[in-house]
Amino acid sequence: MSDPDDMVELAVVENDPFWTNYVTGFRLGDSLIQAWSIEPKLAFVDSGTSCLFMDPVTFQFFINRLSKFTENGVSLNREDQYELDDCKDRDKMPSVSLMYGDHWFTMFVADYVYERDGVCKICIYG
């Protein structure tokens, strides 16, 4: 965030030890054409967490949609982590936004795809 006026205050769920609220949708890219609502799911924010975790059903729906942005596809590796079959596809990947309350919070490709030893891993789990 470059402008403090863009800051959004988000209420948290009472009596929860984490910064928790409900996620009610996700979007791929900037278009609402690639946006889906989901049953409200409790989600928490942890500044030390670098990956996104979601329930298995939502994750399968999500990863299937995300893989359509690639030319070469995605594969599940031995560590149960998805990776791009070709790192060149990273440039084709969309931003990922989650709906918290009435606000979209966006992760850019650099936030959820990282390269290690020439392999581009998707840091989203389900």
Side-chain angles (χ1 to χ4, degrees), residues 6-105:
D6 291 339
M7 188 177 295
V8 173
E9 184 174 322
L10 187 64
V12 295
V13 175
E14 289 187 39
N15 300 320
D16 192 296
F18 301 104
W19 291 6
T20 305
N21 200 307
Y22 290 93
V23 171
T24 57
F26 68 90
R27 175 177 73 192
L28 301 176
D30 295 328
S31 170
L32 290 178
I33 294 171
Q34 294 285 332
W36 297 269
S37 62
I38 59 173
E39 286 288 321
K41 308 269 185 201
L42 273 178
F44 68 90
V45 176
D46 176 1
S47 61
T49 302
S50 334
C51 294
L52 180 64
F53 296 85
M54 56 182 69
D55 70 276
V57 173
T58 304
F59 175 73
Q60 276 308 181
F61 180 85
F62 174 83
I63 201 72
N64 289 340
R65 297 306 180 279
L66 192 64
S67 67
K68 294 177 192 280
F69 286 86
T70 70
E71 189 173 312
N72 299 291
V74 298
S75 298
L76 189 61
N77 66 21
R78 285 179 274 164
E79 292 85 33
D80 285 335
Q81 182 177 17
Y82 278 90
E83 52 193 42
L84 298 176
D85 290 339
D86 187 333
C87 277
K88 292 178 187 171
D89 281 339
R90 182 173 37 188
D91 296 335
K92 298 177 182 96
M93 302 299 282
S95 58
V96 173
S97 299
L98 300 173
M99 176 66 82
Y100 279 91
D102 295 330
H103 304 281
W104 289 109
F105 290 88

